[in-house]
Amino acid sequence: MQRIDGREYFEGEFTLPGDKSITHRAIMFNAGAEGEAHVTGALMGEDCLSTMECMRTLGAEIQTDGNALHIKGTPSFKQNQQLNCGNSGTTIRLLTGFLAGKQTQATLFGDASLSSRPMKRVAEPLSLLGAEIQTTDGRAPVHVLSKPLRGAKVDISVSSAQVKSAVLLAGVSADGETTLTEPIQSRDHTERMLAAMGADICVNGNSVTVKKSKLHAVDVCVPADISSAAYFMALGALKGKTLCKNVGVNPTRTGILTAFDKLGVKYSLCNRGVSGGEEKADILVEKSDMRAICLTAQDVPAMIDELPLIALLCAFADGESRITGAKELRVKESDRIRTTAALINRLGGDCSELPDGLIIRGKRKLCGGDMDSYLDHRIAMTAAVGMLASEKGGNLSRGECCAISFPDFFEKIGVNLG
Ligand code: S3P
C-alpha cells in the first residue's frame, strides 16, 4: 500500500521510459529477422520482458545491457513451444500473427487478466489468410497450428493496432498480397518498422497493403513513451510545470495533445527530431484552468491508453465532459470504463458510466480518497496522479503493477514505496 499525499505544486524535468509499443516490435520483429540489431532506449517493463522471453524461447539470442539490447534473429522459429505472454495483450496478439506467418506451431498463454481478454479478434481475421488459430472459448490459451498462408483482404470493424499488426505480420509471409482496412487509423509503429526492415508495404489512409517479403534486422533508437509521459504532462497541467524530454510524438499517438487543446491546457513542443523513423520532441506543460470537453469515436484510437487519465483531468475541469465511442476500454487490462469511474468517484469526483464511455461532472477540486489499482498499470498511475493533485491524497493498494509499463514510476513522482 502506498500513501500519496496531495501537493500544492509539482514541477520538474523528466526523462521517461522507452515506448512500450515500439520496444515490443523492435524485439519481436528483429528476433524473427535475418541479421543482428542493436536497440537503445528500450523499455524494460514487464510486458516487454514477456516479449523478450517468448522470443528467446523461440530461438532468438537477446542480450541486455541496461536499456540497450542486442538481438540476433532466427528466421525459423523452434516448433511446439509454450509461450508465456504474462499480462501483455500486445505480445499475445502480435505474436499469434507472426507465428502463423512462419508456420510455427505454438501455444500462447498469460495471466488471469490476459486470459479474460478477447482473442477471436485476431483468430478470425488470420483465418481469412488460411491460418488455423484455436482459442479457448475465444480467449487464451491460444494454439497456433502450422498452415501455409495466402494473402487476403481483411476489414476489421474496430480499430486496433494489435489486430492490424497480427494480420500484417502474417501477411509478410503469405503468398500474394494482404490488405487490412480499419475504420480509423490506429498507431502505425508496425507499418513504419516493417518498411524499415525492407518489407513491401504501402499505407493508403486507413488501409495497409503488404506483400510477401523478407525482413532484415534493423537498429532502433526508442523514444520515450507518450503514454508514460502523459502522467507527468497531466501533473504539469494540474499543479505547476513539467518538461518531458525526448517523447515519441508519432501523430497516431498524440491524442492526449488533442484532448489538451480541447481542455485548454497550455503546452508547447520543442527540440523536434526524428529517430528510427519516429517523430520525437520535448513537451512542456503548464498549470491551466480546464473546461469540459466532448470526445467521440474519431478521437479514441490516438488516445486509447490515455483515456482514464483524460477522464481524471475532466474531473478537475469546469463543467460536464462526455466521452463516447470508447467501448474498447472495457476489454483492456481491466474494464477501464468501470475502473475509471470508480477511481474518479473514490477521489471525491462525480463520474458515471455509459455503455461506451463516461460522463464526468467536473468539480475543479477533488478531496482525495483510498483505492485499489485493480491490478491495471494505467489505473494505478492515474490514481496516483489524482491523489497527488487532490486536497488530502489517499492510499493506493497494489500500485506495484505500474512495473508493466513504468517500473520506476513512484520514484519519479517522488512517492516513497516504503
Ligand atoms: C497497442 C495497441 C493498443 C493499446 C495497447 C498497445 C500496440 O491496443 O491499447 O496498449 O502496441 O499495438 P489495441 O490494438 O487493442 O487497441
Side-chain angles (χ1 to χ4, degrees):
M1 172 115 77
Q2 271 116 22
R3 172 75 212 160
I4 302 175
D5 291 318
R7 279 196 226 158
E8 276 303 309
Y9 199 67
F10 189 93
E11 190 183 31
E13 191 178 305
F14 300 94
T15 299
L16 291 319
D19 188 282
K20 181 156 83 71
S21 293
I22 298 175
T23 303
H24 276 301
R25 288 161 173 79
I27 298 170
M28 191 183 294
F29 303 178
N30 275 314
E34 256 173 30
E36 297 187 25
H38 203 64
V39 180
T40 51
L43 168 66
M44 301 304 274
E46 286 171 10
D47 268 9
C48 297
L49 298 180
S50 293
T51 293
M52 217 183 293
E53 266 324 293
C54 288
M55 301 322 287
R56 283 186 175 129
T57 307
L58 287 163
E61 281 176 38
I62 307 175
Q63 269 136 28
T64 61
D65 178 9
N67 295 320
L69 312 174
H70 192 80
I71 304 171
K72 193 167 171 210
T74 166
S76 59
F77 290 149
K78 283 189 200 162
Q79 291 289 336
N80 295 315
Q81 301 300 309
Q82 299 279 323
L83 302 167
N84 185 353
C85 303
N87 189 248
S88 176
T90 307
T91 309
I92 198 165
R93 297 205 177 105
L94 268 61
L95 198 47
T96 298
F98 207 15
L99 291 166
K102 291 193 169 280
Q103 294 183 41
T104 304
Q105 210 149 297
T107 300
L108 298 93
F109 65 99
D111 69 6
S113 156
L114 190 61
S115 307
S116 72
R117 297 179 64 187
M119 294 301 155
K120 264 200 190 142
R121 55 175 57 198
V122 282
E124 283 176 357
L126 288 172
S127 72
L128 299 175
L129 279 74
E132 196 175 335
I133 315 289
Q134 293 171 351
T135 65
T136 310
D137 288 333
R139 297 170 206 287
V142 171
H143 305 284
V144 181
L145 303 177
S146 171
K147 294 276 154 143
L149 303 191
R150 55 182 186 271
K153 272 199 176 347
V154 180
D155 287 351
I156 53 175
S157 58
V158 178
S159 293
S160 162
Q162 293 178 355
V163 176
K164 172 174 67 176
S165 302
V167 171
L168 297 178
L169 286 168
V172 162
S173 308
D175 278 334
E177 188 176 287
T178 298
T179 299
L180 178 128
T181 305
E182 56 183 346
I184 303 156
Q185 192 189 19
S186 61
R187 64 190 68 189
D188 65 354
H189 306 299
T190 294
E191 295 88 310
R192 290 173 186 236
M193 205 175 289
L194 287 179
M197 297 178 99
D200 187 343
I201 184 166
C202 172
V203 179
N204 185 4
N206 302 337
S207 292
V208 192
T209 300
V210 71
K211 291 186 190 147
K212 191 168 188 156
S213 319
K214 219 175 214 143
L215 299 183
H216 302 281
V218 69
D219 291 346
V220 181
C221 176
V222 183
D225 197 327
I226 193 165
S227 300
S228 299
Y231 304 103
F232 292 81
M233 291 155 60
L235 282 167
L238 290 166
K239 286 284 152 190
K241 197 174 181 177
T242 52
L243 178 67
C244 295
K245 306 278 287 176
N246 198 30
V247 181
V249 289
N250 174 323
T252 61
R253 295 286 301 282
T254 49
I256 178 98
L257 300 180
T258 310
F260 277 4
D261 287 333
K262 295 188 185 211
L263 284 158
V265 172
K266 290 178 267 175
Y267 71 89
S268 57
L269 269 57
C270 56
N271 287 331
R272 282 175 177 274
V274 177
S275 100
E278 294 275 350
E279 299 89 333
K280 59 178 188 171
D282 295 349
I283 306 178
L284 178 73
V285 184
E286 288 175 81
K287 185 166 164 46
S288 312
D289 287 328
M290 292 180 281
R291 52 181 178 258
I293 59 172
C294 193
L295 298 170
T296 61
Q298 281 295 327
D299 301 307
V300 166
M303 56 176 78
I304 184 75
D305 294 334
E306 289 69 69
L307 280 169
L309 181 70
I310 292 167
L312 176 74
L313 288 177
C314 294
F316 284 95
D318 208 4
E320 184 176 297
S321 295
R322 216 181 152 83
I323 301 173
T324 55
K327 205 167 166 204
E328 272 298 287
L329 290 180
R330 294 221 180 260
V331 290
K332 293 295 179 186
E333 286 84 330
S334 69
D335 171 349
R336 287 187 182 156
I337 291 184
R338 188 175 62 80
T339 52
T340 301
L343 185 166
I344 291 171
N345 293 329
R346 296 287 301 182
L347 297 180
D350 184 352
C351 181
S352 37
E353 290 182 40
L354 296 170
D356 65 342
L358 295 160
I359 295 177
I360 311 111
R361 285 163 284 272
K363 291 185 167 181
R364 308 183 81 159
K365 279 183 182 171
L366 295 184
C367 61
D370 301 338
M371 73 165 286
D372 179 52
S373 70
Y374 300 95
L375 288 178
D376 179 335
H377 57 130
R378 302 225 181 269
I379 296 298
M381 293 187 277
T382 303
V385 169
M387 288 175 187
L388 237 146
S390 71
E391 289 172 333
K392 296 193 200 116
N395 294 306
L396 175 63
S397 315
R398 304 196 292 176
E400 310 78 34
C401 62
C402 68
I404 288 290
S405 61
F406 198 153
D408 59 351
F409 172 76
F410 288 105
E411 222 171 288
K412 282 239 157 78
I413 57 164
V415 169
N416 203 328
L417 283 169

